[in-house]
Amino acid sequence: MPHDATDDALERPVTSFDLLPSFDLLPGAPDSPVLLHVPHSARAIPQDVRAGIVPDDAELERELDRITDAHTAELAERAAALAGVRPWRFVNRLSRLVVDPERFPDDREEMAAVGMGAVYTRTTQRGVLRPADTDPEPLLARYFRPYAAAMTRAVAGRLAATGRAVIIDVHSYPAEPLPYELHGTGPRPPVCLGTDPFHTPPELTEAAREAFAGRGGTGLDSPFAGTYVPLDFYGTDARVSALMVEIRRDTYMAEPGGPAGPGLGHLATALAALVDAAGR
C-alpha cells in the first residue's frame, strides 16, 4: 500500500531490497474532490533497473536533469498547504526513466515513435537509453500497472466521497525544446495548460487562466497537450475532470537541474488558488 515517506528517505539511493514505495497517496480533506498528480518529479532509479540502462553515470545524471520535472512535488506540497481545502496528492517516487506512468502502454502512445512509450528506450537527445529489444513487460508489471491501479483507486475514492474528481496534473518543461519533443516548434508560454475535449470543462480551464494570470501568461496545449485520466474513466465518466499544468522551468528554477528560486513560492500560491476554484 502507498504510504508517507520522509524527505531524507527519498534522497538516499534505492536498491532492489528497499521497502520504499514507488508512489504515495497523500490524504487531503475528506470533502475535497481535487487530486494533485505529480508523476515526473523524482530521480530515484532502483539498482536492478539501473543495470538495464545504457548511459554511464555521468550521462545518466545529465539525462535526469533534462527529463525530471524538478521541484514539482514541493510545488504541490506547498500548494496543498496553502489551499483553503487541502487537496489529495498522488506522487510518483521513482524517475520516469523507470516507467512513465502517463504513457499509454500500447500502440496508442505517439511518443513510442521516438522510443519514449511507457518504458523508454531512447533519451531526450534521441540517444540509446535501453537496448531497442528490451522487453518492457517486467517493468510494466512491477511498476506501471500497480501505479495505474492505485491512481484508479484514488480517483474512485474521490468519486465515492464527493461525487466528482478533479485531477490536476503538475508538470514542468524546459525553456528550450529538447530533441525528443514531437511538437516543440510551437509556443512555450510560462504556463501551458493541457486539456482534453471530454475531461476538461471550460470553467476549469478558465479557473487556471485566472489563477496563473500573474505568472507571465498561459497558453493551451503547446508545447504539450492533453491530460492524465486513468483508463477506467477515460472518455466515459464525465464526473472526472482533468487539467495538465506545465510550468516553464526558467520561471522558477535554474535549468537544467538546479535549485528552485522565489518563483516556486509564487507558483504555489497560484496553484493553491486553482485548487480552491476547482474544488468549489
Side-chain angles (χ1 to χ4, degrees), residues 69-228:
D69 292 352
H71 313 297
T72 51
E74 181 183 354
L75 171 61
E77 181 179 10
R78 290 195 193 187
L82 291 169
V85 178
R86 191 176 187 91
W88 295 61
R89 287 177 289 143
F90 195 102
V91 183
N92 189 6
R93 297 306 189 187
L94 296 180
S95 170
R96 64 197 289 191
L97 298 184
V98 179
V99 297
D100 191 331
E102 293 210 312
R103 302 287 201 240
F104 287 112
D106 52 35
D107 292 341
R108 289 173 291 179
E109 180 52 60
E110 70 167 354
M111 294 303 295
V114 289
M116 299 182 82
V119 175
Y120 297 176
T121 58
R122 310 293 287 186
T123 71
T124 57
Q125 308 301 297
R126 302 206 179 195
V128 175
L129 183 74
R130 292 182 175 93
D133 61 354
T134 296
D135 179 7
E137 180 54 34
L139 290 173
L140 294 176
R142 182 177 171 188
Y143 297 111
F144 185 93
R145 294 192 189 98
Y147 188 107
M151 184 67 179
T152 299
R153 291 193 298 270
V155 172
R158 294 303 84 221
L159 290 174
T162 72
R164 62 192 182 105
V166 184
I167 303 168
I168 299 176
D169 231 9
V170 184
H171 291 261
S172 71
Y173 74 99
E176 297 297 328
L178 292 169
Y180 84 97
E181 294 182 25
L182 294 179
H183 309 288
T185 58
R188 302 179 82 82
V191 179
C192 163
L193 303 175
T195 66
D196 178 88
F198 185 88
H199 289 285
T200 310
E203 56 269 26
L204 182 57
T205 304
E206 184 56 32
R209 287 189 182 278
E210 292 181 8
F212 289 100
R215 303 269 51 88
T218 60
L220 288 181
D221 294 315
S222 177
F224 298 99
T227 189
Y228 176 77

